[in-house]
Amino acid sequence: MIRPKSLCAGSLVGLACVLAACAHSPPRATKSAPEPAAVALEAIVPAPAEVAPATTRSAVRIDATTRLYACGDEATAVAQYFVELVQRTRGFAFTVACPEKKPATGIRLVFDEGRDALDGWYRLKADSGLVEIHSGSRSGLFYGAVSLWQLLTAQTGDASAVYVAAGEITDWPRYPWRGLMLDSARHYQSPAFIKKLIDAMALHKLNTLHWHLTDDQGWRIEIKKYPRLTEIGAWRVPPGPAAAKDIDPETGKPRRYGGYYTQDEIRDIVAYAAQRHITIVPEIDMPGHAQAAIAAYPQLGTGERPGVSTDWGIHTYLLNVEESTFTFIENVLDEVVTLFPSPYIHIGGDEAVKDRWKASKRVQARRRQLGLADEAALQSWFVARLATLLEKHGRKLIGWDEILEGGRLPASASVMSWRGTAGAIEAARAGHDVVLSPAPDLYLDNLQSDAGDEPSGRPSLVTLESLYRFEPTPAELDAEQAKHVRGAQANVWVEHMRTTARVEHAVFPRLAALAEVNWAPRERRDWPGFLARLPAQLARYRALDLAYAESAFLPRASVNAAAAEVDSVDITLSNQANFGELRYTLDGSEPAATSPIYTTALRLRTGTPLRVATFVGSERLTRSTAVATDGAALRRRSSSELKPCRDNGLLLRLEDDAPTTGERPFYSVDIFDACWIWPQAELATTTALEIDVGSVPYNFQLWRDAKNVVLRKPATASGELEIRRGRCGGKPWLRLPLKPALGNAERTTLRAELPSRGKGSAAAEDLCFVFTRPDTRTLWVVDQVRLVP
């Protein structure tokens, strides 16, 4: 995350409508201070549909004395929101008045009731001292005000006035569903955080929050008729020895983890979102991902009573198909629809593996009674019943693309396509509305870079650029079929995001890219132009206290021993987006706008204290990073720098389960085969190896993929770390007992003195590091390897 000097200092208080920093008074302009350049009307995110600059007119000056005019309830409500937002992030304290006639100067918000009422449409005109925003839709007037706020915050630094270029913006969204999904089932987030996220969504002109409220690991929504759903289903004890030792003094048992949202809290959040023109679509996942519900009410399942799951992956517990279960579902949905006025209710429908249905005599008898050919048809019948229940409430069913299977999907149902785009194409061709949400393209649990300082997540990189280049409407659809594409949605699955800071890191600034994908006309999308507008957006994030990721812009270094010089290193610098200027210092001081610009590879003496930051003009875009240039840096590798041994494994970046409080380390590991390679490790001058090892709970439900897990038989009861030369399939060269690491919830350093390799041995060899596993519930991991001279 980044924490440089923000637009204003402070924290989120009171009206979370906006967010975060307290107001500051603008400094007084001096006579000698030059007027700032006018802000171009294009300087907003997402890019507007149409911009018509007025080259012959003067820019409009906006300062703390500017008057804001609005009449009527709709315009006044937007004006008050705008006042609060600008004061908190820009420092101008506008007053609102309703004029008797059109003012000559200032800002005027006009709600043209019954005219140009396309949802989201607005016109912003700046001319002759006056900025006017017109719209016939409430959302359009709101979005117009958001665009003007962006123009007022497009220039970093303090200024007594902002000059908005003369001209006109005519703007409207490309898609009606501009969505973000938040998973609150795996990790509970506070209502205050949900509101903070809603605020940020509104400022990106997103309008749909898909709220994932139930899953195997937690049931987060209060249902009055079934209190055990939250009494039992909302809580679990985290896996691993650290959590087992974290005893709650009130109960004398391991501390439970979780939480849920009361119905009053949900009503408050839904109303809060509606004021910002965001619809919340709740998801109650059925018939799979239901283990937490079955833990609370075991009669809903097909057999034994499970606990609330502490594992990630594909679980096999499904709701049964008894009439009593549909009574339960109907009662739950009766309460859900009273809380959420959304026209859509999401019923999940994904990853419903049928093993328990196949094994259940009662389920099979019911299937035969219904005349259904197989379990896929049975799930399709299940989904059709849910659609009928929702239709009674005037609601529409939407589900993940598995609901297409079985051949009974009601015509009114909509499909959210997550397994690539194939589901969207099939559904649209069949006449169903679709939302594009494919993995990995729009899955924000995927990492943003392969750098070692990225937090936990899945390793299929979803960079800022790759997300920006996503096209929601599949090329395979003809013009008529394409009308069924409602828009795109990014998904924030939080298995690997334990804290809200991790959520913010995953979401921002990729949310800005998603916003432009959903809003701007396709021909208006321009990656270099988007990058040019992003520094101001990052400054807004700082003002809103959003812990965004710098992954696209943070300097990265490749350090190698100089080819022909002793005690020297060659360093190549870059950043992922290839944006801005990399400025550096060689004395350990912070880079400044006057520091040298990196243009070509550097050759430095080992130990030179190199520090680098990315700049745009005179403004620093990122924090600075220290680049290790000492000899020791060349002789160590972290787990993220080592190579996985297989290309077809399941590589994850996992967070340690210890310590129970504070920061935890991250490890890159193939959970099918805990095996790492250091290609061509320099061994000629190495006398010993030091390996920092840790352990994490092996809490994965792999279903049919379990057959791909490699288990190596231990030589002792404690297990070993084996080091092999050349290839991973050979005999161990060194074997280090894990006994010293047992009982240590954090990291342990193992050391091995190297035996003589004999004459003629290569100066460098591949080293392979693998663990034997006496305990299949523990995953041993390499944190760092060091070659000791």
Side-chain angles (χ1 to χ4, degrees):
M1 72 183 71
I2 185 168
R3 287 285 188 269
K5 182 181 179 182
S6 64
L7 289 178
C8 48
S11 61
L12 180 66
V13 290
L15 258 175
C17 71
V18 279
L19 346 298
C22 57
H24 61 278
S25 299
R28 295 178 181 176
T30 63
K31 293 182 179 180
S32 59
E35 291 185 353
V39 176
L41 297 181
E42 292 89 347
I44 58 177
V45 178
E50 294 178 359
V51 177
T55 57
T56 60
R57 300 170 188 155
S58 60
V60 177
R61 175 188 168 100
I62 306 293
D63 60 27
T65 66
T66 298
R67 299 296 300 273
L68 175 60
Y69 301 99
C71 297
D73 293 343
E74 290 80 5
T76 300
V78 172
Q80 293 296 342
Y81 177 92
F82 178 72
V83 166
E84 181 75 17
L85 181 58
V86 172
Q87 185 168 8
R88 289 177 182 272
T89 57
R90 192 63 185 81
F92 297 162
F94 298 137
T95 58
V96 182
C98 177
E100 294 182 0
K101 60 180 181 178
K102 180 179 177 179
T105 61
I107 299 168
R108 182 178 180 227
L109 307 181
V110 181
F111 179 63
D112 296 320
E113 188 168 8
R115 177 180 155 197
D116 298 324
L118 175 68
D119 188 34
W121 181 97
Y122 70 92
R123 177 173 288 125
L124 186 155
K125 185 177 182 181
D127 181 25
S128 302
L130 179 66
V131 176
E132 282 191 299
I133 300 170
H134 284 258
S135 181
S137 73
R138 292 170 176 83
S139 62
L141 195 64
F142 179 88
Y143 294 140
V146 167
S147 291
L148 180 56
W149 167 72
Q150 287 202 6
L151 294 176
L152 299 183
T153 54
Q155 295 170 330
T156 58
D158 291 326
S160 59
V162 177
Y163 291 81
V164 176
E168 193 169 283
I169 295 172
T170 306
D171 203 10
W172 63 91
R174 182 183 179 192
Y175 294 106
W177 186 299
R178 305 181 298 281
L180 181 72
M181 188 222 75
L182 177 65
D183 170 13
S184 295
R186 275 54 179 268
H187 292 292
Y188 168 85
Q189 303 96 19
S190 71
F193 176 78
I194 306 297
K195 289 182 176 182
K196 182 179 182 183
L197 189 63
I198 288 168
D199 284 326
M201 290 176 62
L203 296 176
H204 289 79
K205 301 186 175 78
L206 299 183
N207 69 346
T208 305
L209 174 62
H210 169 186
W211 201 2
H212 186 78
L213 288 166
T214 72
D215 215 296
D216 300 300
Q217 299 82 12
W219 183 284
R220 305 286 176 224
I221 174 174
E222 179 189 29
I223 301 297
K224 301 283 191 180
K225 195 172 185 66
Y226 301 104
R228 291 206 301 270
L229 287 172
T230 47
E231 290 171 359
I232 294 173
W235 306 94
R236 64 181 188 261
V237 175
K245 295 177 182 178
D246 183 21
I247 303 301
D248 185 340
E250 293 186 7
T251 65
K253 297 178 180 179
R255 197 182 307 275
R256 296 197 308 165
Y257 173 87
Y260 65 92
Y261 306 97
T262 68
Q263 293 197 359
D264 285 343
E265 287 173 331
I266 289 172
R267 290 188 188 94
D268 179 56
I269 291 170
V270 168
Y272 189 90
Q275 291 169 357
R276 289 146 185 80
H277 302 280
I278 291 173
T279 298
I280 300 182
V281 177
E283 180 181 353
I284 310 298
D285 214 335
M286 297 177 280
H289 289 290
Q291 186 168 328
I294 297 170
Y297 294 95
Q299 64 270 30
L300 299 173
T302 56
E304 76 276 9
R305 178 179 195 161
V308 177
S309 181
T310 62
D311 292 349
W312 312 131
I314 298 177
H315 296 59
T316 60
Y317 287 94
L318 301 186
L319 298 177
N320 64 43
V321 291
E322 305 285 344
E323 284 304 309
S324 58
T325 296
F326 282 98
T327 298
F328 165 85
I329 293 170
E330 184 169 11
N331 290 335
V332 168
L333 292 178
D334 284 348
E335 295 192 35
V336 168
V337 298
T338 65
L339 297 171
F340 297 94
S342 163
Y344 292 95
I345 303 295
H346 204 298
I347 57 87
D350 62 311
E351 297 180 330
V353 300
K354 311 300 192 297
D355 297 10
R356 292 180 184 271
W357 273 5
K358 291 177 181 178
S360 169
K361 292 181 180 180
R362 291 180 65 87
V363 170
Q364 289 303 311
R366 181 69 163 147
R367 178 185 64 78
R368 290 190 294 269
Q369 179 189 19
L370 294 168
L372 300 175
D374 54 25
E375 290 72 29
L378 184 60
Q379 182 176 351
S380 187
W381 169 84
F382 190 106
V383 170
R385 288 209 49 177
L386 298 183
T388 300
L389 290 175
L390 291 172
E391 286 170 3
K392 291 179 181 178
H393 293 284
R395 308 303 178 87
K396 296 180 181 179
L397 178 149
I398 186 170
W400 302 109
D401 55 56
E402 284 96 330
I403 66 174
L404 287 164
E405 300 167 2
R408 294 172 60 101
L409 188 63
S412 62
S414 297
V415 173
M416 190 168 280
S417 186
W418 76 275
R419 297 178 298 177
T421 59
I425 294 166
E426 178 186 347
R429 286 174 173 169
H432 298 284
D433 285 349
V434 298
V435 176
L436 275 293
S437 191
D441 311 68
L442 298 184
Y443 269 46
L444 301 188
D445 55 331
N446 283 292
L447 301 182
Q448 299 174 70
S449 82
D450 56 4
D453 58 0
E454 284 289 331
S456 50
R458 295 179 177 273
S460 296
L461 295 187
V462 177
T463 66
L464 184 66
E465 182 174 3
S466 71
L467 198 153
Y468 186 84
R469 295 190 184 282
F470 177 77
E471 171 50 40
T473 301
E476 294 87 343
L477 299 179
D478 63 29
E480 195 62 30
Q481 295 162 350
K483 293 177 182 178
H484 288 290
V485 176
R486 304 291 292 168
Q489 173 180 290
N491 294 335
V492 189
W493 299 107
V494 302
E495 291 99 326
H496 306 298
M497 300 178 208
R498 182 174 53 91
T499 67
T500 54
R502 300 272 181 264
V503 174
E504 291 178 25
H505 179 96
V507 170
F508 305 100
R510 290 186 292 189
L511 196 71
L514 175 72
E516 197 144 310
V517 164
N518 263 319
W519 183 280
R522 189 172 184 177
E523 64 274 11
R524 290 278 292 162
R525 279 163 51 193
D526 169 52
W527 170 244
F530 174 74
L531 283 178
R533 285 175 279 126
L534 211 54
Q537 189 75 350
L538 300 184
R540 296 181 192 111
Y541 292 162
R542 295 195 292 274
L544 304 177
D545 192 35
L546 295 171
Y548 64 89
E550 296 181 294
S551 307
F553 310 107
L554 198 66
R556 306 297 183 190
S558 174
V559 182
N560 297 287
E565 258 184 72
V566 179
D567 296 331
S568 293
V569 290
D570 289 332
I571 300 173
T572 303
L573 300 176
S574 62
N575 68 27
Q576 186 188 81
N578 193 28
F579 180 72
E581 299 168 335
L582 304 182
R583 294 183 178 270
Y584 64 92
T585 61
L586 300 177
D587 60 2
S589 62
E590 285 291 318
T594 55
S595 299
I597 298 175
Y598 171 83
T599 56
T600 189
L602 302 173
R603 176 161 292 182
L604 303 176
R605 303 296 294 174
T606 56
T608 301
L610 174 63
R611 188 169 283 275
V612 193
T614 301
F615 283 75
V616 176
S618 61
E619 296 290 329
R620 198 168 82 175
L621 188 62
T622 68
R623 68 183 187 272
S624 67
T625 57
V627 179
T629 64
D630 57 308
L634 301 174
R635 303 176 68 86
R636 63 174 176 259
R637 296 288 186 275
S638 67
S639 63
S640 63
E641 294 169 319
L642 298 169
K643 288 180 56 179
C645 299
R646 305 191 308 173
D647 294 330
N648 61 341
L650 182 53
L651 189 70
L652 294 176
R653 187 147 171 80
L654 299 178
E655 185 180 32
D656 206 333
D657 63 320
T660 54
T661 59
E663 291 297 316
R664 300 176 179 177
F666 302 103
Y667 311 110
S668 294
V669 56
D670 176 358
I671 67 169
F672 285 171
D673 186 8
C675 178
W676 299 258
I677 296 174
W678 185 331
Q680 293 299 291
E682 197 283 310
L683 297 179
T685 60
T686 299
T687 64
L689 295 176
E690 289 182 346
I691 306 101
D692 296 335
V693 302
S695 63
V696 295
Y698 198 80
N699 59 322
F700 303 102
Q701 292 283 338
L702 299 176
W703 192 41
R704 292 175 180 170
D705 282 332
K707 66 181 181 294
N708 297 318
V709 176
V710 176
L711 297 175
R712 295 179 176 84
K713 186 176 180 180
T716 66
S718 301
E720 300 82 29
L721 169 63
E722 295 180 345
I723 304 170
R724 303 175 183 186
R725 294 164 60 188
R727 57 190 181 87
C728 294
K731 293 182 178 180
W733 178 41
L734 300 169
R735 184 179 279 132
L736 306 181
L738 291 175
K739 188 174 182 179
L742 296 181
N744 181 9
E746 300 187 41
R747 287 163 290 181
T748 302
T749 299
L750 305 178
R751 181 181 173 97
E753 304 296 329
L754 298 194
S756 173
R757 296 189 301 133
K759 293 183 179 181
S761 296
E765 293 185 77
D766 288 357
L767 292 184
C768 180
F769 303 86
V770 298
F771 288 97
T772 63
R773 288 183 60 190
D775 172 12
T776 57
R777 294 298 293 175
T778 301
L779 178 63
W780 288 95
V781 291
V782 166
D783 178 38
Q784 189 180 95
V785 179
R786 294 180 293 278
L787 307 179
V788 181

